[in-house]
Amino acid sequence: MNYSWDFRPVFAHFDMLALGLLNTVKIAAVSIVLGVLVGLVLAMMRLSVRRWLRWPAAVVIEFYRNTPPIVHFFWFFYAFPVLLSVSMSPYVAAVLALSTQSGAFYAEVFRGGIVSIERGQWEGARALGMTHAALMRRVIVPQAISRMVPPFIERSFELLKTTALASTLAYADLLYQAMMVNSQTFRPLEVYTTIAAMYLVLLVTASQLARIAERRLTAYQ
Amino acid sequence: MSQNPILEIKGLHKRFGDHHVLKGIDFSVEPGERVAIIGGSGSGKSTFLRCMNFMETLSEGEIWLDGQRIGQQVRGRMTYPEKQLCKVRERLGMVFQQFNLFPHMTVLQNVMEGLITVKGLSRQDARAIAVRELAKVGLGEKHDAWPGRLSGGQQQRVAIARALSMEPEVLLFDEPTSSLDPELVGEVLRVINQLAEEGRTMLLVTHELGFAYHFATRVIFLADGVFHEVGTPDEVLKNPQKPRTQEFLRRFGEFAF
Ligand SMILES: Nc1ncnc2c1ncn2[C@@H]1O[C@H](COP(=O)(O)OP(=O)(O)OP(=O)(O)O)[C@@H](O)[C@H]1O
Ligand SMILES: [Mg+2]
């Protein structure tokens, strides 16, 4: 093999890749925030004593766990607008897909954290005379959070990687920008190697930040 | 002079599905009484105690606290509003076999928690009470320790301080020494004895028959879902009248009074 590597054409378009990276980070951050909100609502429904709240949430969660992520992107981009007879930008469709997907998984992370707290903790708090709301806020949730952190972080990394699917909707994320640069430079090896490295740096950086957060949130253990 | 009972139980039944655990219990506790509840494993001792502060819902029956029936009639049905049950639990302190301290709070915070969250005291007031109660159980040095770092005996004493801080009218103990190493049992029993000397009203489920004998003003032998035999420690533990009680005490082996 005597391929001669040449990164110069790629670096000449580095501004495009940088923009892609920025868009990837942006869509991931927005989707994590919205996903947490979706997850909280679904988790509270799943934990409710009312069956008519529990099972719709269970259906939504099972739907997302058992369908390919790319289908959700296509559904929100091509199908959902038909339903509402509006047009949908790739960005909005991708955020909807990502935040509902991750919301369904976050819901299980949140619920799992809550139900993992031993019965004795609920009883200890209840026996003091705490209301349900107070014991959740003061006793259960603070302990559950530290147990939720590792799976939450894992799930967020999954989301960060799934953002690449937004490129299929022509959202200008890192992968999409790479395809653009490739079509101008005809240097797939250099282009895709470069963005793989960029994803790697992004995720490694994120995991360092996550480790710091994790240490803070699980301090008492 | 006969006092009004602080706690009165009428026709209490408890079922878990088809399992009929408590089959009609009538009982009342006067202020200052110390009641020890003994009985075989699975006989419903914990269930009985937990019905007192509604940690378990009653299947049937009434509980009266200081002359007031707990619960509210709504269209001919008894309901138990959360607010009212919280108030009841505040007035009936409970100490568990497994301590149930909050591991994410320090010892001092554990004792302050109910005072702040339930009683609505300021941090300073709560702290002052918590410091006092911890000193009383001999843990004045451990304010800033995490519960997980303490011995079982120390944890149980923190749990007792936590219950005491709420100034409950009645204390409920569910086998407070059963999960302790033998050498740590004494320190917890000493604290409970101290509470007896203060004249506190207490209900204690225990397997420590020797302790029950000295501690209690009344002993209950629970069997087959009813109070099979009730009397003074001498009556129930030394001269039991019913064969079932005699057999239980025999099988329980020797214990030193
Ligand atoms: N939440 C529950 N659901 C179903 N059955 C229960 C529940 N709690 C207790 N029981 C059953 O009720 C019976 C009485 O239990 P309880 O814990 O009151 O016994 P106990 O006298 O305290 O026994 P031990 O000495 O072992 O603590 C047991 O047969 C138990 O299996
Ligand atoms: Mg028990």
Side-chain angles (χ1 to χ4, degrees), chain B residues 61-62 69-81 84:
Chain B
E62 305 175 6
R69 179 166 181 197
I70 298 163
Q72 240 170 41
Q73 289 283 354
V74 177
R75 283 184 296 265
R77 276 202 53 175
M78 210 55 194
T79 60
Y80 299 99
Q84 198 187 12

Side-chain angles (χ1 to χ4, degrees), chain A residues 119-135 137-140 142-143 219-221, chain B residues 50 53-56 82 86 89-90 92 94 96 100-105 113-114 117-118 146 162-163 166:
Chain A
R119 212 176 103 179
Q121 291 295 306
W122 301 78
E123 297 197 335
R126 222 144 52 95
L128 280 175
M130 287 195 202
T131 60
H132 183 76
L135 76 86
R137 185 169 52 82
R138 299 287 307 167
V139 177
I140 305 302
Q143 293 184 66
Y220 74 88
Q221 283 166 336
Chain B
R50 293 160 56 80
N53 64 348
F54 290 78
M55 300 297 278
E56 302 287 354
E82 189 189 23
C86 288
R89 292 180 187 129
E90 193 184 327
L92 303 176
M94 187 169 233
F96 302 86
N100 297 346
L101 295 178
F102 308 131
H104 60 305
M105 298 180 191
E113 184 58 30
T117 316
V118 178
W146 297 109
R162 181 174 71 175
M166 302 297 284

